[in-house]
Amino acid sequence: MQQCILLFGFRCFDLNLLDMSILRNEIKNNLTYLKNEIEHIFEGGRDTVLSEVTVGQVYGGMRGLTALVCNTSYVDPYSGLHIGDFTVEDLSEKYPEEIFYLLCTGKLPESDFLEEFRKEMNERSGVPQYTWDVLKALPEDTHPMSMLSLGILTMEQESVFKRNYLKGIPKSDFWKYTFEDALNVIAKLPELAAGIYRIRFGDGTLIKRDPDLDWAGNLAMMLGLPNSGKELARLMRLYLVLHCDHEGGNVSAFTSRVVNSALSSLYYAISAGLNGLAGPLHGLANQNCLKFILEIRHRFGDLVSEEEIALYIKETLDSGKVIPGYGHAVLRVTDPRFTAFMKFGKAYCSENVCFQIAEKLFKVVPDILKTYKGGKVASPWPNVDAASGALLFKYGLNQFDFYTVLFGVSRILGFCAQNILAQGLGQPIIRPKSVTNKWVADQLMKNKVNH
Ligand code: AMX
């Protein structure tokens, strides 16, 4: 067994191949399986054209361009997120720890995995004091997403991958060190996220983690909310399951992968992915959704009618704003993750006014968006963010700015899994070609001459 020194929960320098050995071996098996698949694909036609690119796509955020492979999850426009052979409906009762295993291996773990993972997280937990010092020194109005991104970045010099890369390790082993970094980061996330909440919105005192609790349960408990209990822990589990991954082309996952493809450590890659998630068209939409619901409530009262909601939606659109929580770049149906949140809401929060407004919005918004801008909105349906804020609010999490942090904590599971697999498959640095307007115009001219 290799030497393993524990410092602030970090294992310095070396891999301990006995830790999480089942998950590690299953990742190895998955990589072997995926490598064989790729070999077959290449034999079948390495030069086969998968996707053509139009001028509109080049100028349109590459929408619909098939140019990436991501083996952790897949988003079907009509059935939503698939992780391995499972849909959102199959997974909504699981623990986020199990989903991490699934993202990395394509399989759900055996029943004893949760206990093994809990012990591993306990050993690796412990956010360094220097991270708290940096976060506490920030201006009071710093956004919690900046704090999360920065908090991860402060720990970058602890990267086991980076230290060993500098010493020299074979490319085939890169993924093992990245996996080590992933476990170290994931173990610290509940404390880091809850600590950010307490520094930014509480009195700054940090609540100790409970070694007997699961990953999401610990996060819920360490927030220190007066209403926190089993229901908040259950909601947190669902929340952290539903946001974990959404294939490879979304802003945050793609950013994280691009950064890691340069062999920047997972810490850099996670921080970069979070910076993309912090945008209002991506992860920040969930805080805007609850703000939107509260604005409606403030203007029309608790018993707001569907007609009043329709009026508010039209006013919002007329002022040039988007309706938060509606629309999607890939999905063309109601997001199954929204459906899962609604199911939770109906079971536990049906009397809650904010949840009721979210329900009314669902009845009203799609019909309006269908005809808005001459039918230009590709998906008038709700996405994952449309209802989650209303549920968090019910349990006393009334600081909207914090919602995207919870999204980020969950999405880091996906960043980690995507980067571990990509490294295990030896994927090269990502470097698509860009061109200038002049180049495109010349190309159009050449096409005209040739026709
Ligand atoms: N309200 C008003 N207009 C909308 C809209 C909405 N909810 N969704 C799309 N549109 C508009 C777009 O702004 C665009 O108008 P433009 O061409 O005049 O700029 C037009 O419809 C076509 O856009 P699209 O092809 O349907 O969507 P897209 O792929 O460009 O963008 C998304 C997708 C999610 C950014 C967009 O639907 C949106 O802004 N939604 C509201 C914000 C939101 O909920 N984001 C969260 C997404 C999920 C997540 O990452 N958490």
Side-chain angles (χ1 to χ4, degrees):
M1 187 173 53
Q2 299 182 40
Q3 266 297 300
C4 162
I5 308 160
L6 246 151
L7 175 68
F8 297 130
F10 286 103
R11 281 141 215 283
C12 294
F13 305 123
D14 283 333
L15 287 178
N16 185 343
L17 296 173
L18 293 180
D19 293 339
M20 300 304 297
S21 56
I22 296 172
L23 174 52
R24 200 184 300 272
N25 284 336
E26 281 300 337
I27 295 175
K28 207 167 152 197
N29 293 340
N30 192 22
L31 288 170
T32 306
Y33 176 82
L34 293 170
K35 276 180 197 160
N36 283 337
E37 267 189 344
I38 294 169
E39 247 173 56
H40 279 292
I41 290 167
F42 281 1
E43 279 165 18
R46 214 182 156 119
D47 297 323
T48 304
V49 175
L50 290 179
S51 180
E52 289 186 330
V53 194
T54 64
V55 171
Q57 284 174 310
V58 168
Y59 283 92
M62 296 189 276
R63 200 74 83 265
L65 169 64
T66 304
L68 294 168
V69 172
C70 164
N71 286 297
T72 55
S73 68
Y74 171 71
V75 179
D76 180 272
Y78 300 98
S79 55
L81 176 66
H82 293 248
I83 307 181
D85 294 332
F86 303 95
T87 62
V88 168
E89 210 183 341
D90 303 325
L91 299 174
S92 52
E93 300 290 321
K94 297 285 174 201
Y95 282 70
E97 296 89 318
E98 295 175 291
I99 306 297
F100 178 60
Y101 188 106
L102 175 63
L103 289 167
C104 291
T105 68
K107 298 177 186 173
L108 281 168
E110 302 290 327
S111 54
D112 52 359
F113 168 74
L114 281 176
E115 183 52 16
E116 190 195 3
F117 196 83
R118 190 184 58 75
K119 286 186 186 151
E120 190 67 34
M121 294 296 98
N122 283 342
E123 236 179 272
R124 292 172 188 262
S125 67
V127 173
Q129 186 55 43
Y130 58 77
T131 299
W132 295 128
D133 292 343
V134 169
L135 297 182
K136 285 181 178 175
L138 293 171
E140 274 178 14
D141 56 353
T142 305
H143 195 283
M145 275 302 275
S146 310
M147 296 172 82
L148 182 64
S149 175
L150 185 59
I152 306 268
L153 210 52
T154 59
M155 297 185 249
E156 199 279 331
Q157 87 286 1
E158 308 282 357
S159 166
V160 179
F161 171 83
K162 185 166 99 173
R163 289 167 191 262
N164 283 281
Y165 183 81
L166 292 175
K167 284 197 282 181
I169 44 173
K171 190 175 176 186
S172 55
D173 281 352
F174 285 177
W175 73 269
K176 295 177 187 165
Y177 294 89
T178 298
F179 176 63
E180 195 71 19
D181 281 348
L183 293 177
N184 282 333
V185 172
I186 291 169
K188 292 165 181 62
L189 285 176
E191 276 162 293
L192 180 61
I196 288 169
Y197 184 83
R198 303 216 26 105
I199 292 168
R200 183 70 181 71
F201 306 112
D203 61 6
T205 55
L206 306 177
I207 296 176
K208 274 211 166 77
R209 65 197 303 283
D210 178 345
D212 293 326
L213 287 179
D214 60 286
W215 197 63
N218 244 319
L219 171 51
M221 181 276 293
M222 284 188 283
L223 292 171
L225 296 173
N227 291 338
S228 69
K230 283 200 171 133
E231 264 182 40
L232 177 63
R234 193 178 290 137
L235 174 60
M236 200 61 80
R237 253 171 241 134
L238 179 67
Y239 196 100
L240 298 182
V241 163
L242 295 182
H243 289 85
C244 66
D245 203 43
H246 221 226
E247 65 175 41
N250 64 77
V251 167
S252 55
F254 185 51
T255 305
S256 162
R257 181 77 278 281
V258 170
V259 171
N260 189 242
S261 83
L263 299 185
S264 300
S265 76
L266 200 54
Y267 293 81
Y268 282 126
I270 290 172
S271 180
L274 291 171
N275 297 343
L277 192 70
L281 295 188
H282 192 13
L284 206 78
N286 63 5
Q287 81 170 58
N288 292 341
C289 286
L290 181 63
K291 248 186 223 158
F292 194 67
I293 288 175
L294 291 176
E295 280 162 14
I296 292 175
R297 184 181 181 183
H298 180 71
R299 167 128 167 231
F300 301 104
D302 288 3
L303 298 175
V304 53
S305 68
E306 289 176 20
E307 291 69 34
E308 287 167 328
I309 287 190
L311 175 77
Y312 196 74
I313 297 298
K314 283 181 186 145
E315 280 178 16
T316 305
L317 293 173
D318 288 346
S319 69
K321 292 184 197 149
V322 294
I323 307 302
Y326 283 78
H328 202 273
V330 177
L331 285 170
R332 295 295 171 259
V333 289
T334 295
D335 190 334
R337 299 170 300 171
F338 169 82
T339 309
F341 276 130
M342 291 305 270
K343 195 171 158 197
F344 183 98
K346 283 189 176 114
Y348 300 103
C349 312
S350 61
E351 301 301 312
N352 181 266
V353 174
C354 290
F355 177 69
Q356 288 168 352
I357 296 176
E359 279 184 311
K360 287 177 194 164
L361 280 164
F362 183 35
K363 284 189 191 152
V364 171
V365 176
D367 280 343
I368 298 176
L369 285 184
K370 274 179 204 166
T371 54
Y372 176 60
K373 289 191 175 171
K376 202 179 173 194
V377 181
S379 172
W381 305 107
N383 59 54
V384 66
D385 295 321
S388 57
L391 302 179
L392 293 171
F393 193 64
K394 185 225 161 187
Y395 293 100
L397 208 59
N398 52 13
Q399 303 293 342
F400 319 142
D401 280 1
F402 189 69
Y403 294 175
T404 313
V405 168
L406 296 177
F407 192 155
V409 167
S410 173
R411 193 49 70 89
I412 288 170
L413 298 179
F415 298 163
C416 290
Q418 290 196 17
N419 285 314
I420 290 164
L421 292 190
Q423 290 208 351
L425 295 174
Q427 287 183 0
I429 187 166
I430 296 173
R431 195 351 179 151
K433 178 81 185 91
S434 69
V435 291
T436 59
N437 278 351
K438 184 178 177 316
W439 187 95
V440 177
D442 288 350
Q443 204 66 21
L444 294 181
M445 194 58 84
K446 270 187 215 161
N447 283 0
K448 265 191 195 156
V449 171
N450 290 341
H451 284 105

